[in-house]
Amino acid sequence: MGVFDQLKENVNDILFPRRCPLCGAVINRNERICSKCSKDVEFIRRPICRICGRPLYTCSCSKGKYAFVRNVSPLIYTKAAKKGIHRLKFNNSPASSTYFGKLMANAVRTEYLNLGVKFDCVIGVPMHPDECRERGYNQAELLAKTVAEELELPRFVKVLVKYRKNNAQHTLSYIERQRNIRNVFRVARPEAIIGRTVLLCDDVTTSGSTLDECARVLLDAGARAVYCVTATVAVRSEMPAIKSAAFDL
């Protein structure tokens, strides 16, 4: 690298410093996240549930409970990862999606592609147009974009749509979540997904109700199978509002 190029990089670092995608702290160009978040981020370790993607110690899944075949996630929704998801969704930080999306793509390679699963397309969980305009972007679509690019798969947009607004899922109990999410999605272009295996992307799964409803709608429209990948997955300690007896893992 020449002297001019080095000077240009130094000036860019001053004017446009790189920031940690999880907390927003200034980081060096060779760092992915800051040192504090590196200590706090909690990756999901094996053994994991082959349905919901949670560590087995916090899972109570039963086969056939969901319309989707399986979900995988790289991170537990806690500490630094939780802070990063909040920053992505509520602090106007769309660039954070690249960090999460690359981790999601790695999880897909390990848990799906290496086991012979082949995908025809990637779809992000949609937002209602009013909600998307208010936020400025759909974080699930940004995650899906990175995942599709990393895996060299086509990304389908405006195929699965959210046509009816509902209450925020995180404010509700398990039973309320299931009722709240019912009949808010539809497939606008069924011909696009008939006979296809879909990789569905979202930022976090808690009860699994949103992924389940999206998968049900896609299957009803003719999709062959739906697999899911989310950036994070909540465990019991991060869901105090949902009673343990009814917790949907």
Side-chain angles (χ1 to χ4, degrees):
M1 181 182 294
V3 175
F4 177 77
D5 291 331
Q6 183 65 58
L7 179 62
K8 183 179 178 181
E9 280 201 2
N10 291 339
V11 171
N12 283 335
D13 286 345
I14 294 173
L15 296 179
F16 310 104
R18 290 192 61 197
R19 295 192 176 275
C20 174
L22 301 182
C23 72
V26 174
I27 58 176
N28 297 325
R29 67 170 68 103
N30 61 340
E31 292 181 305
R32 295 180 66 192
I33 58 178
C34 71
S35 57
K36 184 177 186 304
C37 287
S38 293
K39 297 175 182 178
D40 287 343
V41 72
E42 189 172 353
F43 286 86
I44 293 178
R45 308 295 182 187
R46 293 185 177 184
I48 61 175
C49 173
R50 293 180 63 81
I51 299 175
C52 71
R54 289 179 173 84
L56 280 181
Y57 73 85
T58 186
C59 171
S60 61
C61 272
S62 60
K63 189 174 181 180
K65 191 171 187 177
Y66 298 114
F68 57 83
V69 178
R70 186 182 173 194
N71 175 65
V72 296
S73 304
L75 302 170
I76 292 178
Y77 184 67
T78 186
K79 299 180 181 177
K82 184 176 182 179
K83 187 185 300 181
I85 291 296
H86 277 243
R87 188 166 182 266
L88 170 63
K89 294 175 71 170
F90 306 118
N91 291 349
N92 192 29
S93 181
S96 299
S97 64
T98 302
Y99 170 79
F100 287 114
K102 288 184 176 182
L103 292 180
M104 292 164 67
N106 286 336
V108 171
R109 291 188 187 99
T110 301
E111 300 296 335
Y112 292 149
L113 301 185
N114 288 350
L115 298 179
V117 180
K118 296 182 179 180
F119 296 106
D120 297 303
C121 61
V122 178
I123 293 178
V125 170
M127 293 175 66
H128 189 274
D130 291 347
E131 298 168 333
C132 196
R133 280 191 292 270
E134 183 178 346
R135 182 167 297 172
Y137 54 87
N138 176 0
Q139 72 280 352
E141 286 290 0
L142 295 180
L143 294 170
K145 182 175 183 294
T146 297
V147 170
E149 289 172 350
E150 289 287 311
L151 301 178
E152 298 182 341
L153 290 169
R155 179 171 65 101
F156 289 179
V157 297
K158 296 182 179 178
V159 171
L160 179 67
V161 298
K162 185 176 182 180
Y163 70 98
R164 185 169 65 83
K165 295 175 72 172
N166 60 333
N167 296 323
Q169 288 285 87
H170 68 268
T171 65
L172 306 175
S173 70
Y174 164 57
I175 298 298
E176 290 171 333
R177 285 168 186 258
Q178 289 186 310
R179 295 171 179 167
N180 182 59
I181 204 67
R182 198 73 174 173
N183 299 319
V184 302
F185 302 106
R186 70 182 177 192
V187 175
R189 293 191 289 120
E191 70 279 4
I193 53 98
I194 291 177
R196 296 181 183 270
T197 299
V198 177
L199 179 62
L200 183 66
C201 300
D202 205 1
D203 56 339
V204 57
T205 180
T206 48
S207 71
S209 298
T210 299
L211 296 178
D212 188 47
E213 179 67 6
C214 286
R216 183 188 67 80
V217 170
L218 288 165
L219 291 170
D220 286 349
R224 178 187 301 158
V226 179
Y227 292 75
C228 303
V229 58
T230 58
T232 61
V233 63
V235 296
R236 281 188 177 88
S237 61
E238 295 299 321
M239 296 187 64
I242 298 180
K243 295 181 179 179
S244 178
F247 187 58
D248 177 23
L249 293 173

